[in-house]
Amino acid sequence: MSLQHAVVIGGSSGIGLASARLLLEQGFRVTIAARDEAKLKASADHLSGEIGMIAIDARDPATVKQAFERLGSFDHLVLALGSGHGAGPFATLDMADLLAGFQTKLIPHAATAQAALPFLRPDGSITFVSAVSAQAAMPGTAGLAAVNAGIEAMVRVLAAELKPLRVNGVSPGVIDTPWWDFLPAEQRQAVFQDFAGRTPVGRIGQPDDVAKAVAFMVSNGFMSGHVLTCDGGIHLAA
Ligand SMILES: NC(=O)c1ccc[n+]([C@@H]2O[C@H](COP(=O)([O-])OP(=O)(O)OC[C@H]3O[C@@H](n4cnc5c(N)ncnc54)[C@H](OP(=O)(O)O)[C@@H]3O)[C@@H](O)[C@H]2O)c1
């Protein structure tokens, strides 16, 4: 029997890489995709199982379409790419940076999901990785909230519109990944410690925590139209 094939965009790092690893362990064939070919190769070298890779920039729908044409049909799409654009206090939020937030997350997620449709198994799945900023009320995240709420708002509509394709989301809290590398190490540790203190489970998340939620959405054929919050409970904190 042939393995189910999952394509993970943003699969060379953090949440996407951990999701790819777990799906491989669960017996999926996995293709990881991201922009930096050397990083993709280095990540793929640390994975075992039926692993492939494609270098794409999800901001360029024509390239994504060509890559899917080369890849052929597949069963599941996981969208785990994004950026930190749009973060920061609202009073000084640069509208150009907010626009970049949409252009580097919401639009590439939507465009890549759209480009994948002709190649996805009709009853396969799409899993978007959004962010809990969409649901929590964390000062300094209005821009991120808007971008990620846009993705979360699409999930239910797409699940109804694209049926029997299953469409879901996973909404992570604060996760220790290279996404945070824009902060110097010492400052990053202080931020992580602060978030850990405010998170009901008493720690920030690891990529594996979110990967388990992603793999659940991919593999459970009865899940559709749902956004699973995987945040240690931080959405409850003021
Ligand atoms: N870490 C957190 O605390 C956290 C919390 C909530 C939500 N999230 C969300 O979770 C998702 C994954 O984040 P992460 O923490 O795993 O970040 P990460 O470690 O920086 O990984 C991001 C991945 O996306 C790829 N990527 C970025 N832009 C791309 C593009 N235009 N086309 C194709 N691939 C692209 C990156 O590779 P290349 O740079 O080589 O392209 C990398 O593989 C993001 O959407 C992020 O907003 C993260």
Side-chain angles (χ1 to χ4, degrees):
M1 201 180 81
S2 62
L3 302 179
Q4 289 195 44
H5 184 188
V7 176
V8 182
I9 317 285
S12 66
S13 177
I15 292 166
L17 177 58
S19 301
R21 182 178 294 112
L22 186 55
L23 288 167
L24 284 162
E25 283 169 14
Q26 294 183 353
F28 287 81
R29 175 186 162 207
V30 175
T31 297
I32 56 173
R35 292 167 298 182
D36 183 332
E37 204 161 354
K39 197 166 77 176
L40 267 173
K41 189 164 170 2
S43 300
D45 284 349
H46 287 92
L47 297 171
S48 46
E50 285 229 29
I51 177 77
M53 56 177 207
I54 43 174
I56 54 166
D57 185 339
R59 292 170 301 181
D60 178 359
T63 319
V64 173
K65 187 168 172 274
Q66 285 163 9
F68 286 156
E69 278 164 357
R70 283 195 303 277
L71 203 60
S73 60
F74 55 97
D75 302 285
H76 305 281
L77 176 69
V78 175
L79 291 153
L81 71 133
S83 78
H85 288 292
F90 182 72
T92 52
L93 184 60
D94 177 355
M95 291 301 134
D97 195 48
L98 177 57
L99 180 62
F102 283 95
Q103 288 168 333
T104 54
K105 186 154 183 183
L106 175 73
I107 300 297
H109 274 235
T112 306
Q114 186 186 55
L117 292 179
F119 306 97
L120 268 170
R121 199 181 83 208
D123 61 348
S125 74
I126 299 176
T127 305
F128 295 93
V129 177
S130 53
V132 79
S133 52
Q135 307 156 35
M138 295 178 189
T141 68
L144 294 177
V147 171
N148 287 288
I151 291 176
E152 296 191 3
M154 285 196 302
V155 165
R156 280 161 49 88
V157 179
L158 293 182
E161 184 174 329
L162 303 176
K163 66 188 176 186
L165 187 73
R166 296 184 299 105
V167 181
N168 291 296
V170 170
S171 191
V174 176
I175 312 299
D176 184 359
T177 74
W179 188 90
W180 291 92
D181 284 357
F182 67 94
L183 291 174
E186 213 170 295
Q187 202 181 334
R188 190 163 64 236
Q189 278 320 311
V191 169
F192 283 174
Q193 214 172 339
D194 175 54
F195 274 114
R198 291 192 278 138
T199 302
V201 301
R203 64 174 177 87
I204 62 158
Q206 293 301 317
D208 284 351
D209 293 314
V210 185
K212 287 175 190 156
V214 170
F216 173 68
M217 289 308 205
V218 171
S219 60
N220 190 316
F222 209 52
M223 291 300 297
S224 195
H226 196 78
V227 178
L228 187 55
T229 302
C230 182
D231 70 339
I234 193 137
H235 66 281
L236 303 167

